[in-house]
Amino acid sequence: MRALKSEKDGGKTRLNCGPLSAIAAELGLSEAEFQKAFRFLAEKQAIVAANRPDGKAALPSEQGEAMLAAKKRDSSWTMDRRLVLYGIIVALLSVVLAARCQVR
Protein backbone atom coordinates (compact mmCIF):
# COMPACT_ATOMS: atom_id res chain seq x y z
CA MET A 1 0.00 0.00 0.00
CA ARG A 2 2.85 2.38 0.82
CA ALA A 3 4.45 1.63 -2.56
CA LEU A 4 1.19 2.50 -4.33
CA LYS A 5 0.87 5.66 -2.25
CA SER A 6 4.38 6.76 -3.22
CA GLU A 7 3.44 6.27 -6.89
CA LYS A 8 0.36 8.45 -6.37
CA ASP A 9 2.33 11.07 -4.44
CA GLY A 10 4.80 11.16 -7.34
CA GLY A 11 2.03 12.51 -9.57
CA LYS A 12 1.38 9.24 -11.35
CA THR A 13 -2.03 8.19 -12.60
CA ARG A 14 -3.37 4.71 -13.33
CA LEU A 15 -2.33 5.28 -16.95
CA ASN A 16 1.36 5.95 -16.26
CA CYS A 17 2.11 4.30 -12.90
CA GLY A 18 4.08 1.09 -12.67
CA PRO A 19 2.17 -2.16 -13.16
CA LEU A 20 1.34 -4.09 -10.02
CA SER A 21 3.53 -6.99 -11.11
CA ALA A 22 6.57 -4.69 -11.25
CA ILE A 23 5.81 -3.24 -7.81
CA ALA A 24 5.36 -6.76 -6.41
CA ALA A 25 8.71 -7.78 -7.90
CA GLU A 26 10.42 -4.76 -6.32
CA LEU A 27 8.95 -5.76 -2.96
CA GLY A 28 10.04 -9.37 -3.46
CA LEU A 29 6.52 -10.81 -3.27
CA SER A 30 5.82 -14.26 -4.65
CA GLU A 31 2.89 -14.72 -7.03
CA ALA A 32 0.78 -16.22 -4.22
CA GLU A 33 1.58 -13.33 -1.86
CA PHE A 34 0.83 -10.83 -4.61
CA GLN A 35 -2.55 -12.42 -5.37
CA LYS A 36 -3.44 -12.56 -1.67
CA ALA A 37 -2.48 -8.90 -1.15
CA PHE A 38 -4.37 -7.81 -4.27
CA ARG A 39 -7.53 -9.66 -3.21
CA PHE A 40 -7.33 -8.18 0.30
CA LEU A 41 -6.91 -4.62 -0.99
CA ALA A 42 -9.67 -5.08 -3.57
CA GLU A 43 -12.09 -6.49 -0.97
CA LYS A 44 -11.40 -3.55 1.33
CA GLN A 45 -11.84 -1.18 -1.64
CA ALA A 46 -8.43 0.23 -0.75
CA ILE A 47 -7.28 0.47 -4.38
CA VAL A 48 -8.60 1.70 -7.68
CA ALA A 49 -7.32 -0.64 -10.38
CA ALA A 50 -7.23 -0.59 -14.16
CA ASN A 51 -6.36 -3.25 -16.72
CA ARG A 52 -3.65 -2.12 -19.13
CA PRO A 53 -1.78 -3.93 -21.89
CA ASP A 54 1.25 -4.32 -19.57
CA GLY A 55 -0.85 -5.68 -16.68
CA LYS A 56 -2.97 -4.36 -13.86
CA ALA A 57 -2.21 -0.93 -12.49
CA ALA A 58 -3.60 0.47 -9.25
CA LEU A 59 -3.38 3.44 -6.95
CA PRO A 60 -4.79 3.84 -3.44
CA SER A 61 -8.41 4.92 -3.09
CA GLU A 62 -9.62 7.22 -0.33
CA GLN A 63 -10.28 4.15 1.83
CA GLY A 64 -6.74 2.93 1.16
CA GLU A 65 -5.23 6.23 2.18
CA ALA A 66 -7.38 6.17 5.32
CA MET A 67 -6.04 2.68 6.10
CA LEU A 68 -2.48 3.96 5.78
CA ALA A 69 -3.20 6.97 7.97
CA ALA A 70 -4.77 4.73 10.65
CA LYS A 71 -1.75 2.41 10.56
CA LYS A 72 0.57 5.39 10.90
CA ARG A 73 -1.37 6.67 13.92
CA ASP A 74 -1.25 3.22 15.50
CA SER A 75 2.50 2.93 15.09
CA SER A 76 3.40 6.40 16.35
CA TRP A 77 4.01 7.33 20.00
CA THR A 78 2.36 4.65 22.09
CA MET A 79 1.96 4.98 25.86
CA ASP A 80 4.88 2.70 26.69
CA ARG A 81 7.16 4.69 24.39
CA ARG A 82 6.06 7.92 26.03
CA LEU A 83 6.74 6.52 29.50
CA VAL A 84 10.27 5.51 28.47
CA LEU A 85 10.86 8.97 26.99
CA TYR A 86 9.57 10.66 30.16
CA GLY A 87 11.92 8.52 32.24
CA ILE A 88 14.89 9.52 30.09
CA ILE A 89 13.95 13.21 30.34
CA VAL A 90 13.62 13.01 34.13
CA ALA A 91 17.00 11.24 34.40
CA LEU A 92 18.69 13.88 32.26
CA LEU A 93 17.14 16.69 34.27
CA SER A 94 18.31 15.12 37.54
CA VAL A 95 21.86 14.81 36.19
CA VAL A 96 21.86 18.46 35.13
CA LEU A 97 20.45 19.60 38.48
CA ALA A 98 22.91 17.45 40.41
CA ALA A 99 25.80 18.91 38.41
CA ARG A 100 24.64 22.46 39.11
CA CYS A 101 24.30 21.82 42.82
CA GLN A 102 27.88 20.52 43.05
CA VAL A 103 29.38 23.51 41.22
CA ARG A 104 28.32 26.02 43.88
Side-chain angles (χ1 to χ4, degrees), residues 4 7 14-26 34 50 52-58:
L4 298 177
E7 290 264 323
R14 281 177 283 158
L15 297 175
N16 64 1
C17 69
L20 288 176
S21 57
I23 293 172
E26 285 178 23
F34 167 70
R52 297 189 321 205
D54 62 343
K56 284 192 184 297

Side-chain angles (χ1 to χ4, degrees), residues 19-58:
L20 288 176
S21 57
I23 293 172
E26 285 178 23
L27 297 174
L29 297 177
S30 69
E31 183 65 28
E33 292 170 326
F34 167 70
Q35 291 299 328
K36 186 177 177 181
F38 182 77
R39 278 193 301 274
F40 173 79
L41 294 173
E43 286 173 5
K44 299 290 184 185
Q45 297 179 344
I47 57 173
V48 180
N51 286 321
R52 297 189 321 205
D54 62 343
K56 284 192 184 297

Side-chain angles (χ1 to χ4, degrees), residues 29 59 67:
L29 297 177
L59 291 175
M67 283 174 60

